[in-house]
């Protein structure tokens, strides 16, 4: 298998699950002029460039550190925002290292997330995706099976890929056109003690 | 399916679509490498897309089997057979054999129930589906003329397949909600008024103790109580946040928020200081993670969080 794809498999287990949290954290920072998508992509790129991911003992903590350092770099380079406006960068809501006690439950939730994503796809797009990436058919075999052009298979596949990436990374449905301004996660004004 | 606007992810997805047999075809390799080299974010976008696809590769078979099986086995699967039997007998009695076939094909009965913290989607024979939130029970009775659902308790979203000849009605306590083809959620929680949130189409609400019928259209929410039915604009992403396993609070008091989490878990958040119970919070939180919520609240409001057994105590820090 392709080295990048092997790396992507590792990321599916260790990076993709925390992407929504990183996004929430970025959105909470509300740094003007900094695009959450940009930072997320850079985070993937940096983790993708690590020589040996097996040496990363705590992927969650590592990813958070990477995201923090990227954001800090952006802020330093930018003349618009002051660090003071961002507050404490170290306020990540770090998830507990031990996962859900019942692994079975966790697995069911994961499967449920995939089911939800698959349901959102148009039927033909879903068929193409499942044939290509679950049953492992080649583009040509998929085209033959569904009696459609290879180019059409590729088009469906690209749509599925783009949708899933946005869907999983945002921990649910992506918001059209507002990819970097997802949820506001915080408190009301004047309520803190 | 709505695709977000992000050029890098779009391009990355196009590259990912070309991967065959676990690698990029050799003839495309130079162009792909050039694209990767053009901008460091390209590698990130590509890895992100491939990670998402890897998830489908790992879990897709399981997901697909449940998607095909329509997610769940009815609790009373036997009932279906019994209803078919009833149908067959009815057909004999009326001596309309052809009619009996239609009846058989259209009658269906089942009950669905979710435990605390559980959520599931069930498919119905007519193409409609019900998504049950935590602690919910619904009974389904389909006949040739009608599709009746009783929401015994909890919260559920109904995605209704269009069929004018067979109205789809959800009964919840004193009220009934009728739809032709639409998508709407009904919330029936003890000590709260019944709410109906309409995502698509229109529904008609009537109650045995209130006069008339109230029409509720997409994007609106009806709150039904003994005093009548009131319609207000809904905020779908918030009101239906539970579909994504989340709860949404809009200037909700800590006391009310803690109470809401009780629907999803046996962990209890205790607001130990009356002085802080009325502070309000806004935001979207993971419904099945009261501990995470309590932690966030503690950080945001500078409170002390203590855990004892299944209780999470939030109190003011000592001066």
């Amino acid at each position: 298998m392709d080295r990048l794809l092997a790396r992507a498999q590792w990321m599916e287990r260790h990076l993709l699950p925390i992407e929504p949290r990183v996004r929430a954290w970025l959105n909470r920072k509300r740094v003007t002029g900094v695009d959450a998508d940009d930072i997320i992509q850079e985070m993937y790129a940096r983790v993708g460039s690590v020589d040996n991911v097996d040496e990363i003992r705590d992927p969650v903590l590592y990813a958070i550190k990477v995201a923090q350092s990227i954001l800090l770099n952006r802020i330093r380079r930018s003349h618009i925002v002051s660090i003071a406006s961002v507050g404490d960068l170290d306020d990540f809501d770090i998830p507990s290292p031990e996962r859900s006690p019942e692994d079975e439950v966790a697995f069911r939730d994961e499967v449920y997330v995939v089911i939800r994503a698959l349901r959102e796809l148009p039927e033909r797009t879903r068929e193409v995706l499942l044939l290509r990436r679950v049953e492992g058919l080649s583009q040509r075999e998929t085209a033959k099976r569904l009696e459609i052009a290879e180019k059409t298979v590729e088009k469906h596949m690209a749509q599925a890929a783009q949708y899933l990436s946005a869907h999983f990374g945002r921990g649910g449905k992506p918001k059209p056109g507002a990819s970097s301004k997802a949820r506001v996660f915080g408190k009301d004004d004047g309520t803190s003690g | 399916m709505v695709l977000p606007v992000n050029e890098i992810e779009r391009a990355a997805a196009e590259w990912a679509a070309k991967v065959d047999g676990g690698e990029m075809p050799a003839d495309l390799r130079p162009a792909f490498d050039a694209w990767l080299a053009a901008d460091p974010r390209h590698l990130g976008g590509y890895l992100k897309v491939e990670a998402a696809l890897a998830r489908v590769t790992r879990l897709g078979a399981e997901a697909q089997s449940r998607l095909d099986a329509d997610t769940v086995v009815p609790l009373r699967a036997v009932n279906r057979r019994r209803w078919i039997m009833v149908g067959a007998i009815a057909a004999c009695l009326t001596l309309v054999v052809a009619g009996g076939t239609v009846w058989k094909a259209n009658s269906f009965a089942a009950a669905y129930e979710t435990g605390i913290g559980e959520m599931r989607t069930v498919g119905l024979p007519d193409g409609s589906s019900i998504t049950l939130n935590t602690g919910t029970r619904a009974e389904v009775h389909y006949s040739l003329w009608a599709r009746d659902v009783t929401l015994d308790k909890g919260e559920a979203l109904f995605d209704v397949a269009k069929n004018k000849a067979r109205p789809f009605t959800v009964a919840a306590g004193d009220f009934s909600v009728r739809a032709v083809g639409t998508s709407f959620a009904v919330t029936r929680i003890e000590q709260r008024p019944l709410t109906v949130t309409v995502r698509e189409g229109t529904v008609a609400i009537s109650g045995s103790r209130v006069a008339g019928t109230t029409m509720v259209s997409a994007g609106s929410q009806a709150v039904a109580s003994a005093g009548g039915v009131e319609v207000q604009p809904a905020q779908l992403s918030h009101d239906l946040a539970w579909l994504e396993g989340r709860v949404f609070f809009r200037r909700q008091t800590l006391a009310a928020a803690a109470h809401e989490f009780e629907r999803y878990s046996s962990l209890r958040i205790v607001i130990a200081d009356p002085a802080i119970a009325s502070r309000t919070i806004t935001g979207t939180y993971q419904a099945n993670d009261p501990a995470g919520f309590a932690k966030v609240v503690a950080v945001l409001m500078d409170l002390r969080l203590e855990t004892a057994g299944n209780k999470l105590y939030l109190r003011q820090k000592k001066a």
Side-chain angles (χ1 to χ4, degrees), chain A residues 14 16 18 37 40-41 54 59 62 83 102 105 109 123 136 145 152 165 182 193:
Chain A
H14 301 293
L16 192 59
I18 66 151
D37 282 338
I40 296 283
Q41 276 156 9
D54 295 333
Y62 182 81
I83 295 177
E102 298 106 347
V105 172
D109 284 349
E123 198 181 337
R145 174 86 69 93
T152 312
S165 167

Side-chain angles (χ1 to χ4, degrees), chain A residues 191, chain B residues 254 271-280 301 303 314-316:
Chain A
T191 51
Chain B
L254 281 188
I271 313 295
D273 269 324
I276 56 173
S278 58
R279 284 202 198 159
T280 62
M301 300 189 178
L303 302 174
L314 280 168
R315 54 181 108 233
Q316 261 170 328

Side-chain angles (χ1 to χ4, degrees), chain A residues 70-85:
Chain A
I70 295 167
L71 183 62
L72 206 59
N73 273 339
R74 295 287 174 100
I75 291 168
R76 283 185 187 131
R77 262 187 288 157
S78 155
H79 296 286
I80 316 161
V81 285
S82 68
I83 295 177
S85 73

Side-chain angles (χ1 to χ4, degrees), chain A residues 2 5 12-13 19 37-38 41 45 94 107 110 112 119 132-133 139 154 165-166 171 176 186 188 191, chain B residues 2 6 9 16 18-20 22 29 40-41 44 48 50-51 55 57-59 71 121 246 251 279 282:
Chain A
D2 197 297
L5 292 178
E12 189 264 315
R13 302 303 289 258
E19 189 190 320
D37 282 338
D38 261 13
Q41 276 156 9
I94 296 166
F107 177 74
E110 276 185 307
Y112 187 76
R119 271 184 195 277
R132 292 285 271 114
R133 292 290 174 122
Q139 183 165 299
E154 192 178 318
S165 167
D188 275 359
T191 51
Chain B
V2 183
N6 184 296
E9 275 185 47
K18 297 178 196 295
V19 169
D20 231 350
R29 195 81 224 188
R41 289 173 303 170
K48 181 166 145 44
E50 283 294 356
R55 177 170 290 182
T57 303
R58 182 165 67 89
L59 302 168
T71 324
T121 300
R246 294 194 170 82
R251 295 183 181 276
R279 284 202 198 159
T282 292

